[in-house]
């Protein structure tokens, strides 16, 4: 996965500041991501990792800073404090997000979960949507569960469906927010395998995770966050082999 | 055609007193009826359970107006002439008794089984379990719902007007028949009902919120 | 005092009862459809619209829920007539019933809509669905399913409350009962019969709603469980 240095970065974040009431959750976060790279965002709970992802995807409004993703500017709050709706819809086509709690739609079958956005947002005909659904489900290894309902699946299977659902929209970047944290240990492996497969196919990904081994093995860049700031960042092996700050050293020691 | 004036307004307020009086009668009677009904519904005796359930189902499946007509016109033809107030009081008591019984049954059943079991393990008899552990908790759960039901009782007293009892709605009709200003008259009537009912609704919601917080 | 029960009037008067019952059913069905539409629209407003609009709708709901249906019917019937419009009793009654049911439905549906976890809405939003698409596909049907028992109970109550419209001479079941008992002097028997008919109607409606439920929420039928 060598970065294409001639092209502009796919994701660029500069000086991101976010407040939740009186608490400064993100304090000047900056990084950039090339096409085909995977960034792993690490850190303790409350460091601001999930918030960072949510801001990048326009789920949370930001107070200062710039976010540019796939050529879209994610706008901060406008003059009367409302996020710009148009911007977000267009953004959603290019950025896929998978959540810790999968958030599958319980009243729809697996197939319909996947084809819903394909038919409603991308306006694809039903038959084509179904074929795409079959394709992505095959990729995550669940094509035989096409007609099942989410509650009939295990946590790991539901999460894989959630990944497939996002993937079906052909995003340019995928954001994965602690997607294995809610799973039993035995089910984590199957989801990690899917993520590895995605990375090998060249998907640009930002993942927030506690799976150190996975991050170390597959991420190109690591962002270590502490108290809302990017405490350290750099190529994966360098970060792990030679942490510069004591916080990162303590963090690595506590998880490995 | 008479012009609507302050005498009419006073007349409405007088009638409102009767609305409140009838509401209190209906609610008290309903409560007295509702308690044994609720207990019967959760009792161990199948016949008792079925009888109570049957009564509640019948009342809840019949319009209040029909119950009123039965007790006023029906009984009078059968030889028992009832005063409109008595007939209304009786009907509303039967009606609210059924609903309160059902509400309170739900509240008794909402108290976790483990509470009764814990009391049982401490050696309390079934009666003691009810009095000291289950019913107090059931009453706490029941309070917001019961206050909310009082709103229903007040509104249902309006039907007593149909059998001639002069409460607020009837007073409104009487005034309208002489002043022919329905919007003004009935809006005022509605406003008086609102002033009686709205505080109860608000209280019911507040109680529910407090109950949930405490839980 | 001995009283001889005499149900013989049924022999020749039963068509009148049937017609009255039929009108009751018709009024109820129309009121349910329109009232539900109104209530759902208002509930969506209560959840998603501008704060001022939300307050207005809230005001409407509170006024209706804290005043008797009888008074509401009088306001519609006598009030509109006093403005010079000629509205039939049936239409006036229907308007009052729809406005009334709309208010109760608003609160029930609002609870249902708000019970859909925000994360669902968020996930749909992240897939690019518009607000309207999210509501139509993700929120509405599950919301209805969650509050279905409360909703159908309210509908049955509305059917029973339709008896009040007899007061503005709508010729539904209760009005027919009044007429028959005034002619036959068999008040007790007449009202008992009518009570039984209402009970039967309640049962029929409840079964009907259950059947509709199994069709609408076929997922539940397939899995044998609720949402």
């Amino acid at each position: 996965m060598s970065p294409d240095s001639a092209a502009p970065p796919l994701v660029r974040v500069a000086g991101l500041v976010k407040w939740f009431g009186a608490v400064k959750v993100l304090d000047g976060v900056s990084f950039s991501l090339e096409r085909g790279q995977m960034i792993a965002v690490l850190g303790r709970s409350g460091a601001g990792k999930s918030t960072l992802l949510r801001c990048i995807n326009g789920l949370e409004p930001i107070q200062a800073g710039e976010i540019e993703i796939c050529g879209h500017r994610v706008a901060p709050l406008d003059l009367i404090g409302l996020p710009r709706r148009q911007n977000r819809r267009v953004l959603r086509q290019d950025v896929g997000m998978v959540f810790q709690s999968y958030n599958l739609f319980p009243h729809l079958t697996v197939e319909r979960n996947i084809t819903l956005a394909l038919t409603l947002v991308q306006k694809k005909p039903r038959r084509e949507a179904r074929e795409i659904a079959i394709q992505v489900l095959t990729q995550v290894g669940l094509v035989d569960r096409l007609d099942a309902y989410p509650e009939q699946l295990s946590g790991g299977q539901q999460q894989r469906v959630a990944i497939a659902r996002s993937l079906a929209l052909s995003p340019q970047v995928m954001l994965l927010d602690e997607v294995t944290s809610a799973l039993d240990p035995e089910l984590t492996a199957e989801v990690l395998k899917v993520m590895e497969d995605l990375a090998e196919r060249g998907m640009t990904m930002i993942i927030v995770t506690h799976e150190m081994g996975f991050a170390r093995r597959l991420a190109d860049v690591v962002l270590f966050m502490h108290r809302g700031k990017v405490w350290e960042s750099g190529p994966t092996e360098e970060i792990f082999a030679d942490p510069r700050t004591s916080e990162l050293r303590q963090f690595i020691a506590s998880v490995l | 055609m008479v012009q609507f004036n302050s005498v009419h307004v006073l007349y409405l307020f007088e009638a409102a007193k009767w609305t409140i009086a009838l509401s209190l009668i209906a609610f008290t009677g309903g409560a007295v009826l509702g308690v044994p009904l609720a207990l019967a519904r959760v009792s161990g005796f199948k016949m008792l359970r079925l009888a109570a359930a049957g009564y509640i189902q019948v009342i809840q499946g019949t319009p209040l107006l029909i119950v009123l007509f039965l007790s006023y016109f029906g009984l009078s033809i059968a030889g028992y002439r009832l005063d409109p107030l008595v007939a209304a009081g009786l009907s509303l008591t039967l009606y609210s008794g059924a609903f309160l019984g059902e509400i309170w049954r739900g509240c008794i059943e909402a108290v976790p089984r483990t509470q009764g079991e814990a009391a049982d393990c401490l050696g309390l008899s079934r009666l003691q379990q009810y009095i000291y552990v289950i019913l107090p908790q059931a009453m706490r759960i029941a309070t917001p719902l019961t206050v909310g039901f009082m709103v229903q009782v007040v509104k249902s007293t309006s039907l007593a007007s149909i059998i001639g009892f002069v409460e607020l709605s009837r007073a409104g009709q009487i005034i309208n028949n002489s002043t022919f200003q329905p919007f003004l008259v009935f809006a005022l009537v509605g406003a008086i009902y609102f002033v009686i009912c709205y505080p109860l609704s608000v209280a019911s919601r507040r109680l529910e919120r407090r109950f949930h917080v405490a839980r | 005092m001995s009283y001889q029960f005499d149900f013989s009037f049924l022999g020749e008067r039963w068509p009148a009862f049937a017609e009255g019952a039929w009108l009751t059913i018709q009024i109820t069905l129309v009121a349910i459809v329109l009232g539900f539409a109104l209530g759902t629209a208002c509930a969506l407003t209560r959840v998603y619209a501008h704060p001022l609009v939300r307050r207005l709708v809230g005001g409407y709901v509170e006024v209706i829920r804290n005043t008797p249906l009888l008074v509401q019917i009088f306001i519609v019937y006598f009030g509109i007539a006093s403005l010079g419009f000629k509205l039939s009793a049936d239409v006036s009654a229907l308007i009052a019933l729809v406005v009334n049911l709309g208010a109760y439905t608003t609160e029930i549906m609002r609870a249902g809509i708000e019970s859909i976890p925000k994360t669902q809405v968020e996930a749909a939003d992240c897939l690019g669905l518009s607000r309207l698409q999210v509501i139509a596909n993700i929120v509405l049907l599950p919301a209805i399913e969650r509050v279905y028992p409360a909703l159908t109970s309210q509908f049955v109550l509305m059917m029973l409350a339709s008896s009040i419209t007899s007061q503005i001479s709508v010729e539904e079941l209760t009005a027919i009962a009044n007429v028959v008992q005034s002619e036959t002097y068999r008040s007790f028997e007449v009202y008992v019969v009518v009570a039984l008919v209402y009970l039967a109607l309640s049962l029929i409606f409840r079964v009907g709603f259950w059947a509709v439920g199994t069709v609408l929420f076929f997922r539940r039928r397939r899995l044998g469980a609720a949402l």
Side-chain angles (χ1 to χ4, degrees):
Chain A
M1 283 167 291
S2 53
D4 184 355
S5 46
L10 203 53
V11 181
R12 195 179 65 85
V13 172
L16 191 50
V17 175
K18 171 142 185 76
W19 294 79
F20 265 131
V23 182
K24 202 175 201 179
V25 181
L26 292 177
D27 191 2
V29 174
S30 305
F31 69 92
S32 70
L33 184 63
E34 311 284 340
R35 185 179 293 277
Q37 281 191 322
M38 183 199 289
I39 278 192
V41 183
L42 310 175
R44 298 194 194 280
S45 307
K49 316 188 295 291
S50 288
T51 312
L52 175 61
L53 245 57
R54 290 169 66 89
C55 289
I56 293 176
N57 200 24
L59 279 175
E60 301 279 354
I62 59 177
Q63 276 73 39
E66 284 180 15
I67 303 178
E68 229 182 84
I69 182 162
C70 305
H72 307 298
R73 285 209 62 214
V74 178
L77 298 178
D78 63 13
L79 286 171
I80 42 175
L82 294 173
R84 300 224 171 87
R85 187 158 287 159
Q86 188 55 22
N87 241 348
R88 276 163 48 213
R89 291 277 318 274
V90 173
L91 175 69
R92 298 273 183 268
Q93 311 273 33
D94 287 330
V95 181
M97 184 144 181
V98 186
F99 303 84
Q100 185 174 344
S101 49
Y102 359 111
N103 291 343
L104 293 182
F105 306 129
H107 60 295
L108 302 175
T109 61
V110 162
E111 180 195 344
R112 191 63 186 127
N113 259 277
I114 298 178
T115 59
L116 188 71
L118 285 172
T119 51
L120 288 182
V121 181
Q122 294 188 351
K123 313 278 197 241
K124 294 201 157 58
R126 209 45 192 272
R127 204 176 316 144
E128 188 185 337
R130 186 183 158 86
E131 276 172 26
I132 295 177
I134 292 177
Q135 204 182 338
V136 289
L137 278 177
T138 313
Q139 194 176 332
V140 303
L142 282 171
V143 69
D144 56 326
R145 305 300 252 141
L146 201 62
D147 290 318
Y149 283 102
E151 65 192 64
Q152 295 173 295
L153 305 177
S154 75
Q157 291 171 323
Q158 290 188 49
Q159 194 60 292
R160 285 189 277 156
V161 171
I163 293 177
R165 180 173 70 174
S166 254
L167 195 57
L169 299 173
S170 310
Q172 296 191 48
V173 179
M174 280 185 75
L175 310 176
L176 292 104
D177 187 4
E178 301 211 32
V179 297
T180 54
S181 300
L183 297 176
D184 293 335
E186 325 77 86
L187 301 172
T188 306
E190 62 194 57
V191 176
L192 291 178
K193 198 158 94 57
V194 166
M195 288 163 66
E196 182 170 352
D197 183 60
L198 269 179
E200 269 165 26
R201 287 175 192 238
M203 174 62 73
T204 314
M205 297 160 76
I206 306 180
I207 68 174
V208 172
T209 186
H210 292 307
E211 298 286 332
M212 292 303 124
F214 182 82
R216 189 166 187 173
R217 202 158 48 84
L218 288 167
D220 299 296
V221 177
V222 164
L223 236 58
F224 173 65
M225 289 191 66
H226 185 65
R227 299 226 205 106
K229 291 198 207 301
V230 179
W231 216 248
E232 275 195 59
S233 71
T236 314
E237 258 326 300
E238 273 180 39
I239 289 280
F240 276 99
D242 185 22
R244 260 165 281 136
T245 59
S246 61
E247 285 82 1
L248 180 52
R249 244 173 275 134
Q250 274 172 25
F251 179 74
I252 294 178
S254 69
V255 292
L256 283 182
Chain B
M1 183 167 114
V2 183
Q3 192 56 351
F4 185 80
N5 57 46
S6 57
V7 176
H8 295 131
V9 177
L10 283 175
Y11 185 55
L12 284 180
F13 280 123
E14 271 301 307
K17 286 190 202 155
W18 281 107
T19 289
I20 296 178
L22 184 55
S23 306
L24 288 172
I25 293 174
F27 184 73
T28 317
V32 167
L33 179 56
V35 170
L37 269 179
L39 291 174
R41 284 283 272 136
V42 296
S43 82
F45 300 107
K46 191 158 190 195
M47 284 317 298
L48 212 56
R49 279 205 312 268
L50 287 179
Y55 171 76
I56 293 175
Q57 283 293 307
V58 167
I59 294 289
Q60 289 192 331
T62 315
L64 175 55
L65 198 49
I66 298 291
V67 176
L68 267 167
F69 286 157
L70 259 172
S71 51
Y72 189 63
F73 295 117
L75 283 181
S76 71
I77 290 286
Y80 303 96
R81 275 220 121 250
L82 287 179
D83 185 74
L85 174 56
V86 177
L90 176 65
S91 312
L92 285 172
T93 295
L94 291 174
Y95 189 74
S96 43
F99 278 89
L100 281 174
E102 188 65 2
I103 292 175
W104 289 344
R105 168 186 75 96
C107 296
I108 292 177
E109 290 181 347
V111 178
R113 231 170 160 271
T114 47
Q115 290 287 304
E117 285 170 1
D120 190 43
C121 288
L122 290 171
L124 274 74
S125 74
R126 195 99 178 103
L127 184 64
Q128 290 171 323
Q129 286 171 36
Y130 262 98
I131 297 177
Y132 293 102
V133 175
I134 298 181
L135 286 183
Q137 294 189 53
M139 285 201 282
R140 215 164 44 99
I141 301 175
T143 309
L145 292 168
T146 307
V147 172
F149 183 69
M150 285 175 81
V151 176
Q152 296 300 110
V153 173
V154 172
K155 289 192 294 181
S156 58
T157 60
S158 64
L159 296 188
S161 63
I162 298 176
I163 55 173
F165 178 65
V166 181
E167 41 65 73
L168 189 50
S169 302
R170 187 102 187 94
Q173 277 178 287
I174 293 173
I175 294 179
N176 182 46
N177 284 340
S178 66
T179 62
F180 295 102
Q181 292 192 280
F183 271 129
L184 183 56
V185 175
F186 289 121
L188 191 50
V189 166
I192 298 178
Y193 273 112
F194 189 81
V195 163
I196 301 175
C197 292
Y198 187 61
L200 289 171
S201 297
V202 170
S204 167
R205 282 198 287 266
R206 290 244 179 89
L207 284 168
E208 198 188 341
R209 235 174 290 149
R210 215 188 311 163
F211 166 69
H212 270 123
V213 170
R215 248 164 146 242
Chain C
M1 169 112 32
S2 69
Y3 179 69
Q4 302 281 43
F5 286 105
D6 180 7
F7 286 90
S8 59
F9 64 88
L10 274 178
E12 47 169 53
R13 302 309 295 270
W14 71 263
F17 287 118
E19 274 181 38
W22 179 228
L23 187 57
T24 293
I25 294 176
Q26 288 176 299
I27 292 178
T28 305
L29 285 176
V30 176
I32 286 177
V33 169
L34 294 177
F36 178 71
L38 175 61
T40 304
C42 288
L44 287 170
T45 326
R46 284 282 268 155
V47 180
Y48 294 119
H50 191 265
L52 194 60
V53 180
R54 291 212 301 259
R55 286 258 186 82
L56 280 172
V57 175
Y60 148 66
V61 169
E62 285 306 318
V63 166
I64 296 293
R65 280 161 41 115
N66 286 293
T67 51
L69 177 59
L70 185 62
V71 175
Q72 292 165 16
I73 291 178
F74 283 160
I75 290 182
V76 172
Y77 186 61
F78 295 118
I80 293 192
S82 79
L83 291 179
F85 293 108
K86 292 217 103 233
L87 269 184
S88 76
D90 290 15
V91 174
S92 304
L94 211 51
I95 293 175
L97 289 178
V98 168
V99 168
N100 186 280
L101 185 57
Y104 285 94
T105 305
T106 303
E107 282 308 289
I108 296 175
M109 283 302 291
R110 181 162 77 100
I113 291 172
E114 288 178 347
S115 76
I116 303 294
K118 301 283 182 286
T119 48
Q120 291 279 302
V121 176
E122 214 171 59
D125 186 55
C126 280
L127 290 171
L129 272 71
S130 72
R131 179 45 77 72
L132 207 62
Q133 288 173 327
V134 173
I135 292 175
N137 288 281
I138 306 298
V139 176
L140 265 188
L141 208 57
I144 296 176
E145 185 170 343
R146 279 177 199 221
V147 295
Y148 199 60
L151 212 55
T152 52
S153 286
Q154 197 61 48
F155 293 160
V156 173
L157 279 172
M158 173 66 22
M159 191 267 298
L160 296 176
S162 69
S163 61
I164 300 177
T165 61
S166 58
Q167 292 312 298
I168 55 171
S169 22
V170 173
E171 288 170 17
E172 43 72 68
L173 189 53
T174 304
I176 302 289
N178 289 338
V179 167
V180 173
Q181 68 94 22
S182 69
E183 291 172 1
T184 65
Y185 294 101
R186 307 264 80 164
S187 318
F188 200 79
E189 294 89 323
V190 169
Y191 288 125
V192 165
V193 166
V194 163
L196 288 172
V197 176
Y198 272 111
L199 270 170
L201 284 178
S202 304
L203 197 61
I204 293 174
F205 267 95
R206 275 195 227 154
V207 169
F209 289 134
W210 170 81
V212 168
T214 53
V215 168
L216 271 184
F217 314 127
F218 51 80
R219 183 191 141 280
R220 192 191 218 166
R221 198 182 53 202
R222 255 188 68 183
L223 291 176
L227 208 79

